[in-house]
Amino acid sequence: MEYDVRITVNGERYQARVPASLTLLRMLREVLHLTGTKEGCSIGECGACSVILDGKLVNACMVLAVECDGSVVRTVEGEGAMDKLSDLQQAFVDNHALQCGFCTPGMLMAARELLERKPDPTDDDIIEAMAGQICRCTGYETAIEAVRRVARKGQAGGGK
Amino acid sequence: MSFVYERPRTAEDLGKLLASHGQRACVLAGGTDLLVALRAGHARPEVVADVKAIEELRELRHEADGRLFIGAAVTINRIVDDARLRAMHGGLTGGAGAIATFAIRNRATVVGNVSNASPCADTVPALALLGAEVELRSATGSRRIGLRDYIVGVKQTARRADEFAAGIHVPAQGKGTRTWFCKRQRVRGHDLALANAALIHDPEHKKLRVAVGSCSPRPVVVELDDMFDKPDAEEAAKRAMASIAPISDVRASAEYRTDMTGMLVRRLFDALRG
């Protein structure tokens, strides 16, 4: 069976007709062609597909697109602009918090959601928020430091 | 993989769906177990019935007398974030907060954690100690079943195909009751329990009990009421280690799980002493 899904992604409204089995992740990537969100494990282990769904961080591989009819989603494409990185993106660059970059979209969304929920997070808050984001390149410390620096500057909310 | 997605508005409509589709239907709440099963082909439903639009199943209700109802659509993070619940049942919110990752806890539900019937479910030890009951409903009626009877084996519950778990009822506890949770896992942050355990201390009824998870098909509750006035961590650990039936698997050996059960019980007794 196919269903009409109306969804707002990064402020843009979309409508798509999708099969019930299609995940939010596949809809973002293959139907809406927003390929910033990555597919890693597809079973909720790695965090690469993390997006903010109606204000809450979720793994987009763990959500059916039909469940999101009427929802508001934020993805990495909503961070910064073509000519200007967001504060978090810039901090990731400055702190060498990525190498291959595959986990970065998920890391950024997890960090963004944290800073909006807790603008002044402790190190434990940052570690807990980033715990679901598996990175095989950097060893996490640089990403945690990037989030820490943005939080300390009090620049949270620098996304679009 | 092709199925019909249904989003009933009432529990009655969900009951009717399950009455007509039975085994061919899957109930969807948070989806963090179901979507993995769908992807792997372990679940091949014709109908997926989403409970999240049913208002009464979204309820997390504190009654004036201390009873608690956790509806089938209540997420793990909702109970972790509930300050009253954290103060009342630290063992339950502690276990809930130890599940998977923050993003998973935003979707996964308490009822789902229990109904998946995994031996390592982190909410089960505390719920077993608190005397929780699962409310099962169908088109023709409803029944309540104790948590330890609901979980009949690994990944198996007493739910019939025409029933759905509407929620969990936690009875009022004795005055001054406290609970604690402890978990042994390989990595901090996102891992299943090698062993987990909870402790309840109820001064009104002089109740002292430990529940152990991950070490048997069904949750094990060890009664320690006889040592209420003189808690003995070593003896409690010994009794807990003798009550479990752990297996060796990819995560840990049975021997290690047994040792860790003793360690967890000793830690819970440390917490009890404050």
Side-chain angles (χ1 to χ4, degrees):
Chain A
M1 281 282 281
E2 298 211 325
Y3 299 83
D4 284 320
V5 174
R6 284 166 299 268
I7 192 166
T8 302
V9 185
N10 304 321
E12 299 260 343
R13 289 191 189 167
Y14 297 88
Q15 183 165 350
R17 194 155 175 82
V18 301
S21 60
L22 195 78
T23 61
L24 171 61
L25 172 61
R26 287 284 173 93
M27 183 172 84
L28 288 170
R29 289 182 56 84
E30 292 166 19
V31 181
L32 308 184
H33 305 297
L34 295 168
T35 54
T37 305
K38 300 297 183 239
E39 178 163 25
C41 68
S42 306
I43 53 169
E45 300 276 5
C46 78
C49 66
S50 299
V51 299
I52 302 173
L53 170 64
D54 294 325
K56 300 210 181 283
L57 189 76
V58 302
N59 295 326
C61 72
M62 296 267 89
V63 181
L64 295 175
V66 280
E67 294 179 76
C68 303
D69 187 30
S71 289
V72 175
V73 177
R74 289 162 59 199
T75 69
V76 72
E77 284 91 347
E79 282 285 311
M82 287 307 278
D83 55 351
K84 189 178 185 329
L85 298 177
S86 76
D87 52 0
L88 275 169
Q89 288 172 318
Q90 190 62 54
F92 268 59
V93 172
D94 294 345
N95 288 283
H96 311 284
L98 59 144
Q99 285 180 29
C100 85
F102 197 82
C103 71
T104 310
M107 287 237 178
L108 289 168
M109 299 323 286
R112 176 63 62 206
E113 189 278 344
L114 169 70
L115 294 179
E116 289 177 353
R117 184 163 42 90
K118 284 187 181 165
D120 189 17
T122 63
D123 281 359
D124 276 351
D125 291 335
I126 298 173
I127 289 167
E128 193 195 2
M130 307 298 279
Q133 314 300 320
I134 305 297
C135 170
R136 296 287 84 138
C137 302
T138 65
Y140 307 103
E141 276 304 324
T142 52
I144 289 166
E145 176 59 18
V147 179
R148 195 185 279 136
R149 285 197 188 181
V150 173
R152 302 267 153 88
K153 274 191 211 156
Q155 289 178 342
K160 225 176 5 182
Chain B
M1 175 172 56
S2 171
F3 52 80
V4 174
Y5 172 79
E6 295 279 1
R7 195 177 170 86
R9 293 264 162 194
T10 65
E12 203 185 356
D13 288 345
L14 176 57
K16 282 181 195 161
L17 272 171
L18 296 180
S20 52
H21 297 286
Q23 304 274 12
R24 299 184 304 276
C26 282
V27 175
L28 167 68
T32 54
D33 286 311
L34 182 60
L35 264 69
V36 176
L38 289 171
R39 184 183 165 82
H42 296 148
R44 298 172 180 275
E46 290 172 14
V47 175
V48 169
D50 188 347
V51 303
K52 289 192 289 293
I54 302 172
E55 202 56 46
E56 63 175 309
L57 303 191
R58 299 167 65 100
E59 273 191 305
L60 172 59
R61 200 167 64 231
H62 289 274
E63 306 287 0
D65 62 3
R67 282 178 301 144
L68 177 73
F69 174 73
I70 305 167
V74 173
T75 64
I76 299 288
N77 268 346
R78 260 183 79 193
I79 71 162
V80 173
D81 290 341
D82 189 302
R84 201 168 152 193
L85 205 50
R86 272 206 310 273
M88 265 170 78
H89 301 315
L92 175 57
T93 54
I99 293 171
T101 64
F102 179 75
I104 295 281
R105 295 195 293 272
N106 273 337
R107 296 294 288 183
T109 62
V110 183
V111 170
N113 187 236
V114 168
S115 299
N116 190 42
S118 163
C120 65
D122 288 322
T123 60
V124 166
L127 285 170
L129 292 175
L130 292 165
E133 292 183 324
V134 177
E135 181 183 338
L136 291 167
R137 280 202 230 165
S138 69
T140 52
S142 77
R143 58 179 175 137
R144 283 199 198 183
I145 181 166
L147 180 71
R148 290 163 71 194
D149 295 318
Y150 177 62
I151 298 170
V152 296
V154 176
K155 302 266 172 182
Q156 287 177 320
T157 68
R159 183 181 74 86
R160 297 192 313 260
D162 67 324
E163 290 178 311
F164 61 94
I168 293 172
H169 295 268
V170 179
Q173 305 295 315
K175 203 169 182 314
T177 294
R178 288 196 298 164
T179 56
W180 295 266
F181 173 82
C182 217
K183 172 173 174 175
R184 176 74 189 140
Q185 61 202 98
R186 292 164 301 182
V187 294
R188 182 183 161 199
H190 187 183
D191 204 359
L192 299 169
L194 305 175
N196 56 13
L199 172 73
I200 191 167
H201 181 264
D202 171 356
E204 189 184 330
H205 302 106
K206 292 209 166 194
K207 193 160 91 175
L208 183 67
R209 282 164 202 184
V210 161
V212 181
S214 303
C215 292
S216 56
R218 302 166 68 185
V220 166
V221 172
V222 187
E223 300 204 2
L224 304 163
D225 298 1
D226 59 293
M227 63 166 76
F228 185 88
D229 292 316
K230 241 186 140 186
D232 180 343
E234 281 309 319
E235 171 63 18
K238 221 180 277 176
R239 284 198 218 167
M241 289 161 78
S243 305
I244 55 174
I247 57 164
S248 294
D249 65 11
V250 288
R251 292 201 296 280
S253 67
E255 194 183 3
Y256 185 71
R257 285 196 161 98
T258 306
D259 275 0
M260 288 305 105
T261 297
M263 182 274 292
L264 291 175
V265 172
R266 286 190 291 271
R267 279 199 189 163
L268 288 167
F269 271 68
D270 286 345
L272 171 65
R273 278 195 296 272

